[in-house]
Amino acid sequence: MLVLILFGPPGSGKGTQANTILQNYPNSIYISTGDILRENIKKNTELGKLAENYISKGLLVPDEVINSMIQNKFQEINNSNHSKNNKLLILDGYPRSINQLKFLLNLVPINCIKSVYLKLNLEEVIKRIVYRRICLKCNRIYHLIYNKPKNNETCDICNEKLHQRSDDKEEIVINRYNVYMNSTLPILQEFKENNISFLEIDGNQEVEKISQTILNYLKSTTF
Ligand code: ADP
Ligand code: AMP
C-alpha cells in the first residue's frame, strides 16, 4: 500500500485535490484529521470537546491525541482487510509536526510513503480560506471567487446551504499559517533526511493543472 501525504499550508488545496484523486482511484482510503476532529465536535464527544479548544484558536491539537486517533484508524483499516483491497491511502492534514511524522514512520515502512507538497504564500492562503465554503452533505469544496456555486451560496449538486467553517476567519487563519510555518514546514527537511520522496507543486496554478500533475505522479509510481 502507498501512503500519500498531502502536505501544504491551510487552504493550499489538499482537500480539493484529495477529491480528484478519490474520483480517479475510487478504492483508495482517505483520512483527513481535520474532518475527523470536526465530526467529533459535531457529535460532542470527549475528543471533540478537547479539540474545539485548540481548533477555535488555530492551534494544533496535541500530538498524543492526534497520534492515537491515527493509530485507531490504522487498526480499523487493518482489521477490516481494507489494506489488501485498497492500494492507496491518502493522508490530508497529517502529519503536522515532527513528532507526528516519527509516529507515522513507526506505523508504515518508509519506502511506502510519498508526498505531494502544495506551496502557497500567506496572502493567497488568506484569500483561499476566507472565501472557502463547503457543502456539509456531499463535502464539495467551493470558493466564492475561484470556484463559485451556480446559485448564491448553495451546493450545485445537493442544493444545501453552503457552510463556512468557524476557524476560517482571517485572524484565525493567520495563527494557523504561523503554526504551519513553525511546526509543520520543518517536516520537509525530515522528508529529505529520511529519503521520503515528495513532489513540490506551485499551489497557485489552476485546480485542473495541479490535479493533472498529481495524477501523472501517481501513474508513474508503482503501488
Ligand atoms: P486545504 O484542504 O488545503 O485547506 P481546500 O482544498 O479546502 O484547502 O482549498 C481552500 C480553498 O481554495 C477552497 O475554497 C478551494 O475551492 C480553493 N482552491 C483550492 N485549490 C485551488 C486552486 N488551485 N486555485 C484556486 N482556488 C483553489
Ligand atoms: P484542517 O481541516 O486540516 O484545516 O484542520 C483544522 C484544524 O484541526 C487545525 O487547525 C488543527 O487545530 C486541527 N488539526 C487537524 N489535523 C491536525 C493534526 N494532524 N495535528 C494537530 N491538529 C490538527
Side-chain angles (χ1 to χ4, degrees):
M1 177 144 84
L2 175 73
V3 173
L4 182 73
I5 300 172
L6 295 177
F7 189 86
S12 56
K14 302 181 295 294
T16 301
Q17 295 303 330
N19 284 344
T20 310
I21 300 171
L22 283 166
Q23 276 165 17
N24 284 272
Y25 293 87
N27 283 332
S28 38
I29 303 168
Y30 173 55
I31 299 178
S32 153
T33 41
D35 282 354
I36 299 173
L37 294 170
R38 280 184 291 277
E39 194 60 32
N40 275 277
I41 292 175
K42 207 162 115 190
K43 291 187 183 146
N44 207 22
T45 64
E46 286 307 311
L47 170 61
K49 283 183 221 163
L50 184 145
E52 196 166 20
N53 291 322
Y54 296 91
I55 295 181
S56 60
K57 299 184 186 81
L59 299 173
L60 292 185
V61 175
D63 286 338
E64 316 81 76
V65 176
I66 298 289
N67 284 337
S68 93
M69 210 170 87
I70 285 288
Q71 187 162 33
N72 291 341
K73 271 275 158 199
F74 272 69
Q75 224 142 41
E76 244 175 63
I77 292 167
N78 286 335
N79 291 345
S80 67
N81 245 352
H82 253 33
S83 50
K84 296 208 176 61
N85 305 323
N86 300 277
K87 299 268 186 278
L88 180 63
L89 170 63
I90 306 163
L91 288 180
D92 172 352
Y94 183 89
R96 250 178 160 109
S97 68
I98 304 250
N99 272 337
Q100 293 182 16
L101 175 66
K102 291 201 167 131
F103 190 82
L104 178 67
L105 294 180
N106 282 325
L107 294 177
V108 183
I110 223 162
N111 60 345
C112 295
I113 303 177
K114 291 200 184 301
S115 178
V116 162
Y117 166 33
L118 299 168
K119 197 174 177 189
L120 206 64
N121 65 25
L122 175 61
E123 200 186 332
E124 187 61 22
V125 160
I126 293 173
K127 254 193 247 164
R128 294 271 184 97
I129 289 199
V130 169
Y131 295 107
R132 167 164 61 188
R133 298 291 184 273
I134 301 159
C135 175
L136 293 177
K137 199 166 172 198
C138 71
N139 289 329
R140 261 176 109 84
I141 304 168
Y142 293 87
H143 190 279
L144 295 183
I145 299 167
Y146 303 138
N147 178 23
K148 284 193 212 169
K150 290 195 182 95
N151 295 315
N152 250 342
E153 292 205 21
T154 52
C155 178
D156 295 350
I157 311 295
C158 312
N159 239 0
E160 286 280 308
K161 173 123 185 57
L162 296 178
H163 169 79
Q164 181 177 24
R165 274 168 51 177
S166 57
D167 60 339
D168 278 358
K169 298 196 183 81
E170 185 162 341
E171 62 278 16
I172 304 175
V173 175
I174 293 171
N175 284 348
R176 286 161 64 195
Y177 190 82
N178 287 335
V179 166
Y180 167 78
M181 292 302 283
N182 293 327
S183 303
T184 308
L185 194 58
I187 287 180
L188 279 188
Q189 189 53 33
E190 291 287 314
F191 282 170
K192 287 179 191 154
E193 282 167 20
N194 286 287
N195 283 328
I196 296 174
S197 95
F198 68 91
L199 175 69
E200 181 173 320
I201 299 179
D202 174 6
N204 277 304
Q205 301 171 92
E206 284 181 7
V207 170
E208 292 72 21
K209 180 101 193 292
I210 296 175
S211 301
Q212 212 41 62
T213 308
I214 296 176
L215 293 174
N216 286 342
Y217 180 60
L218 286 174
K219 257 189 234 156
S220 69
T221 307
T222 35
F223 61 92

